[in-house]
Amino acid sequence: ISIIIPCYNVEHTIFNTISAIKESIAACDSDWNWEILAINDGSTDNTQTILTKIEDIKLINHAANQSLAAARNTGIKNSAGQYIAFIDADIEVSKKWFQKMLTTLMENLNIIGVTGTLKPQPHSKMSPLNKYLFSKYRGQQNVNNDTVLHYKSFVFSNTIVQKSILDDVGGFDESLKHYGGEDTEIAIRIKTKFPKGLRKIKAE
């Protein structure tokens, strides 16, 4: 399992993100080999300094900010895993996240990608972006892993996908610079080739 974390000016969240990932890996009862790749996408704050002090990760630096799509593609190109986990640098996965996600992938060979359920932070004001992400239009929070997921709801902020699928569809479109566009575009390509392969589970 290769875990790719795109990082851009995330000095306040990245340590907790990686700590949560390591805790979830430790709780996973499997014999998988793991690697964590942090792609520092030209951060101008203390992100790179923090990342250099974190043990057991592979740090790759972009000299300048390129885009979320480019950071994810860099991670894919430098990964060794059969499965790729994408986790954004401001997300803390649960202790059971990897166990739940991988169990879903292993139990049904027709499933080629699984995304987790995101919830807004408690007591925080909903931004226009969050209203979109957690809406029925994009979020589809009530689906289960037996429901084939619409491409609009397959986001890459906390997702595991077979690497061969990403190689097949050609990775993320780096011409798309705006948040969310790169997710939707590659989800459409994946859904076109594998119409019943996407799922969402509650893996908070």
Side-chain angles (χ1 to χ4, degrees):
I1 310 295
S2 297
I3 303 157
I4 296 173
I5 313 169
C7 304
Y8 178 66
N9 290 350
V10 288
E11 61 181 7
H12 298 298
T13 60
I14 188 57
F15 182 83
N16 289 341
T17 293
I18 294 177
S19 295
I21 288 170
K22 290 182 176 180
E23 184 177 5
S24 188
I25 289 172
C28 191
D29 59 352
S30 73
D31 295 325
W32 293 101
N33 293 317
W34 306 84
E35 64 173 357
I36 301 173
L37 298 90
I39 316 303
N40 176 37
D41 190 27
S43 296
T44 56
D45 63 357
N46 291 319
T47 296
Q48 183 174 344
T49 300
I50 294 168
L51 288 170
T52 59
K53 297 177 180 179
I54 299 176
E55 297 181 350
D56 301 320
I57 68 170
K58 181 177 181 180
L59 173 59
I60 302 172
N61 290 302
H62 287 172
N65 180 252
Q66 296 183 28
S67 73
L68 182 56
R72 287 175 175 159
N73 282 343
T74 294
I76 295 169
K77 292 172 185 175
N78 288 276
S79 65
Q82 179 183 356
Y83 289 90
I84 305 292
F86 296 97
I87 300 176
D88 282 356
D90 58 353
I91 288 175
E92 295 180 36
V93 297
S94 72
K95 191 173 182 178
K96 296 181 179 180
W97 191 85
F98 278 108
Q99 186 67 51
K100 288 183 177 181
M101 300 284 276
L102 290 170
T103 297
T104 300
L105 280 166
M106 298 302 107
E107 287 181 344
N108 186 339
L109 296 180
N110 292 319
I111 299 177
I112 52 86
V114 181
T115 190
T117 299
L118 285 176
K119 290 184 177 179
Q121 293 296 319
H123 312 301
S124 64
K125 184 178 179 181
M126 278 283 225
S127 68
L129 174 59
N130 280 345
K131 287 180 181 179
Y132 170 65
L133 290 176
F134 302 118
S135 69
K136 292 181 180 179
Y137 175 78
R138 181 73 181 260
Q140 293 192 9
Q141 302 289 9
N142 295 321
V143 300
N144 58 50
N145 58 6
D146 294 322
T147 305
V148 176
L149 195 65
H150 194 281
Y151 73 84
K152 293 176 184 175
S153 299
F154 196 76
V155 296
F156 285 80
S157 54
N158 69 137
T159 293
I160 300 180
V161 184
Q162 293 180 24
K163 185 178 183 181
S164 61
I165 303 304
L166 297 168
D167 292 337
D168 190 3
V169 301
F172 291 87
D173 185 345
E174 296 183 22
S175 70
L176 300 173
K177 306 294 185 182
H178 297 292
Y179 185 97
E182 80 295 328
D183 282 36
T184 302
E185 193 277 334
I186 194 172
I188 291 171
R189 283 187 277 133
I190 294 173
K191 182 77 170 178
T192 300
K193 286 199 170 189
F194 307 94
K196 297 182 179 181
L198 304 181
R199 297 292 191 279
K200 171 179 276 191
I201 64 171
K202 293 184 177 180
E204 297 93 344

